[in-house]
Amino acid sequence: MNALVVDDSRAMRQIIGRILKGLGFEVIEAGDGREALARLAEVPEVDLAMVDWNMPVMNGIDLIRALREDPTLGRVRVMMVTTESDISRVAEALGAGADEFVMKPFTTDMILEKLQMLGIETVKTT
Amino acid sequence: MPAATATSLSAADFDFVRRLVLDKSSIVINPDQSYLVETRLAGMARREGFASIGQLLAGIRDGTARQFQVRVVEAMTTNETSFFRDHHPYEALREHIIPDLMRKRASVRKLTIWCAACSTGQEPYSLAMLLRQHFPALSGWQVDIHATDLAVEILDRARRGRFSQLEVNRGLPAALLVKYFTKEGAEWQIKDEIRSAVRFEPLNLTSSWRAFPPLDLILLRNVLIYFDVSVKKQILTRMRGVMQRDGYLMLGGAETTFNLDDGYERVEFGRYACYRPRSGQPAATSPPNQVGVRL
């Protein structure tokens, strides 16, 4: 399985990437929404996108909307991973097409539980 | 064991806590779990002005801090919990168990559920949300969710229905967070429509139980693991006595009735197995029905 981690923080991409690799994913990274769309064009077999909200160039919400408008990317499950925690923000992300929402800070277990909710079977546990 | 510090335990203190908890709750603290006692009691000792866990326990022993005895037992018997914990049991509830019970109870339109050892409330609230979200037909039924725990202080927290961000981040689908919670400051408050669907009451599983109406579903998840074999057997037998003959018992993933109580049969639903009384077992007796909570 392939996962795309989209976050403008390199450290955060590494943290999330490490968790996902431990769960059996091949991980690719992008630093903003536009770069994420370019990566998705190169690697169409992406199963999961972990998307930050606040990023330069193209933010996470605009990325999710663009992703949901592209029928070739319909299989991608999207989890927003952000410091945003107002209920209106959670609703906005779901409305834009996110499948799940994780508030930072998070733990490996939280990510694992959310993946289970999305019906994504991981091949090993950390 | 190294010498005790403000946040660590002497061997004698650890032994005292083990005996106290066993005596008051029948829960077994294993010899290698001193870290658990330290973790759970350090905060209480500090908050209540004791210089160390040892000083708190000395006060309980000599009677000068007797009032903390119950709280020490409660602190040691509170289980980890989260919304929709382990996921698969809730899938089994949604796909199989609740639809089956609704078919069987269609004529009486009544479901009685007991979450034993509910801790801070995530399990009964998860169940209430699941019923509300996926079974709108139950709106015309009498659905009673009884949630019990040994720890009175924990039950007060459960009743309030306020959770931290870390707690709602664990296991709770974002769509249910938006639908059934409001954010108040840094905390998340579960809405009254869910909160009022659960009735919280104190109950010690190893003491006498109050009279329940015959139960259609019992959740006893990740509880038996804390008891020794004889207490496990007693609890499982008593549970069978308060269940409907065609009801279900849900245990934790590492728990089973096997070799403890032959009166149950295992029923597999996808990746989760639960239990029900074997046919031929006596049905629960029926005390007068109580006024239920409408979902």
Side-chain angles (χ1 to χ4, degrees), chain A residues 18-83:
Chain A
R18 204 174 302 132
I19 290 172
L20 293 177
K21 282 174 189 165
L23 296 173
F25 286 90
E26 295 289 326
V27 175
I28 50 177
E29 297 182 13
D32 61 65
R34 190 175 299 169
E35 194 185 338
L37 290 173
R39 290 276 173 280
L40 285 165
E42 295 162 7
V43 187
E45 296 299 303
V46 166
D47 303 281
L48 171 71
M50 306 283 275
V51 179
D52 184 22
W53 190 303
N54 297 299
M55 295 180 290
V57 186
M58 179 189 269
N59 69 28
I61 281 289
D62 289 341
L63 166 62
I64 294 171
R65 289 198 181 104
L67 199 151
R68 289 303 183 219
E69 282 172 9
D70 184 340
T72 65
L73 298 173
R75 61 174 282 162
V76 182
R77 311 308 301 271
V78 178
M79 198 181 301
M80 188 133 233
V81 186
T82 173
T83 52

Side-chain angles (χ1 to χ4, degrees), chain A residues 87-104:
Chain A
I87 204 153
S88 60
R89 293 299 220 180
V90 185
E92 186 180 349
L94 296 180
D99 297 294
E100 262 306 330
F101 193 101
V102 176
M103 294 174 270
K104 295 174 184 171

Side-chain angles (χ1 to χ4, degrees), chain B residues 195-233:
Chain B
R195 203 167 68 89
S196 62
V198 182
R199 183 178 304 165
F200 291 97
E201 306 159 69
L203 185 142
N204 185 338
L205 286 169
T206 59
S207 301
S208 61
W209 298 353
R210 77 160 187 74
F212 287 104
L215 291 149
D216 300 299
L217 174 64
I218 299 175
L219 287 84
L220 182 70
R221 300 179 56 223
N222 307 300
V223 180
L224 291 179
I225 45 173
Y226 296 101
F227 295 111
D228 66 25
V229 169
S230 66
V231 178
K232 285 179 194 183
K233 286 180 175 176

Side-chain angles (χ1 to χ4, degrees), chain B residues 140-161:
Chain B
W141 288 43
Q142 181 182 326
V143 178
D144 295 342
I145 303 176
H146 302 272
T148 65
D149 200 278
L150 174 71
V152 173
E153 198 174 311
I154 291 297
L155 279 173
D156 285 341
R157 249 205 80 192
R159 245 181 236 115
R160 283 197 294 276

Side-chain angles (χ1 to χ4, degrees), chain B residues 52 61 64 83 116 179 189-190 193 204 228 233 241 257 288:
Chain B
S52 64
R61 273 202 207 89
T64 56
F83 288 104
K179 191 164 182 180
Q189 175 68 52
I190 201 157
E193 61 181 294
N204 185 338
D228 66 25
K233 286 180 175 176
T257 62

Side-chain angles (χ1 to χ4, degrees), chain B residues 6-287:
Chain B
T7 57
S8 72
L9 278 177
S10 69
D13 281 343
F14 178 52
D15 197 44
F16 170 71
V17 173
R18 287 182 69 200
R19 278 186 284 111
L20 177 68
V21 170
L22 183 65
D23 182 43
K24 299 295 177 191
S25 71
S26 301
I27 287 174
V28 178
I29 299 173
N30 293 325
D32 60 351
Q33 287 183 310
S34 66
Y35 69 94
L36 190 66
V37 179
E38 290 165 1
T39 308
R40 302 240 173 137
L41 299 189
M44 183 197 302
R46 193 175 52 247
R47 276 195 307 278
E48 300 299 338
F50 294 96
S52 64
I53 300 173
Q55 196 186 69
L56 164 68
L57 298 175
I60 292 173
R61 273 202 207 89
D62 68 21
T64 56
R66 183 175 296 279
Q67 70 273 28
F68 293 109
Q69 179 174 296
V70 172
R71 288 183 50 196
V72 165
V73 174
E74 290 188 354
M76 292 313 307
T77 54
T78 304
N79 302 324
E80 188 201 281
T81 185
S82 62
F83 288 104
F84 296 93
R85 184 177 180 188
D86 301 333
H87 185 66
H88 296 300
Y90 290 93
E91 233 171 40
L93 279 166
R94 193 182 69 241
E95 306 269 329
H96 303 284
I97 296 172
I98 299 297
D100 181 52
L101 287 172
M102 285 178 70
R103 274 191 300 275
K104 289 170 174 167
R105 305 289 179 264
S107 60
V108 294
R109 298 165 72 80
K110 183 176 189 301
L111 283 181
T112 309
I113 300 167
W114 177 20
C115 293
C118 66
S119 191
T120 40
Q122 284 92 328
E123 182 177 81
Y125 286 139
S126 297
L127 185 59
M129 284 188 276
L130 181 144
L131 295 181
R132 186 99 182 178
Q133 183 78 357
H134 296 286
F135 300 95
L138 285 176
S139 65
W141 288 43
Q142 181 182 326
V143 178
D144 295 342
I145 303 176
H146 302 272
T148 65
D149 200 278
L150 174 71
V152 173
E153 198 174 311
I154 291 297
L155 279 173
D156 285 341
R157 249 205 80 192
R159 245 181 236 115
R160 283 197 294 276
R162 283 177 90 87
F163 297 95
S164 70
Q165 181 168 302
L166 283 176
E167 286 169 323
V168 298
N169 229 5
R170 287 207 57 191
L172 182 65
L176 297 186
L177 178 71
V178 170
K179 191 164 182 180
Y180 295 123
F181 287 78
T182 54
K183 195 170 183 202
E184 296 183 6
E187 291 189 309
W188 297 78
Q189 175 68 52
I190 201 157
K191 288 183 179 174
D192 271 348
E193 61 181 294
I194 299 298
R195 203 167 68 89
S196 62
V198 182
R199 183 178 304 165
F200 291 97
E201 306 159 69
L203 185 142
N204 185 338
L205 286 169
T206 59
S207 301
S208 61
W209 298 353
R210 77 160 187 74
F212 287 104
L215 291 149
D216 300 299
L217 174 64
I218 299 175
L219 287 84
L220 182 70
R221 300 179 56 223
N222 307 300
V223 180
L224 291 179
I225 45 173
Y226 296 101
F227 295 111
D228 66 25
V229 169
S230 66
V231 178
K232 285 179 194 183
K233 286 180 175 176
Q234 283 169 27
I235 291 175
L236 285 171
T237 305
R238 292 173 74 189
M239 289 271 167
R240 199 153 42 77
V242 295
M243 282 174 76
Q244 296 271 21
R245 191 178 299 174
D246 55 358
Y248 290 97
L249 171 68
M250 301 180 75
L251 301 177
E255 296 166 325
T256 176
T257 62
F258 187 65
N259 276 346
L260 294 169
D261 187 331
D262 291 339
Y264 289 95
E265 63 182 359
R266 185 180 157 96
V267 191
E268 294 198 8
F269 294 120
R271 297 179 63 177
Y272 180 72
C274 65
Y275 300 85
R276 65 184 169 206
R278 282 187 198 282
S279 43
Q281 293 298 320
T285 50
S286 283

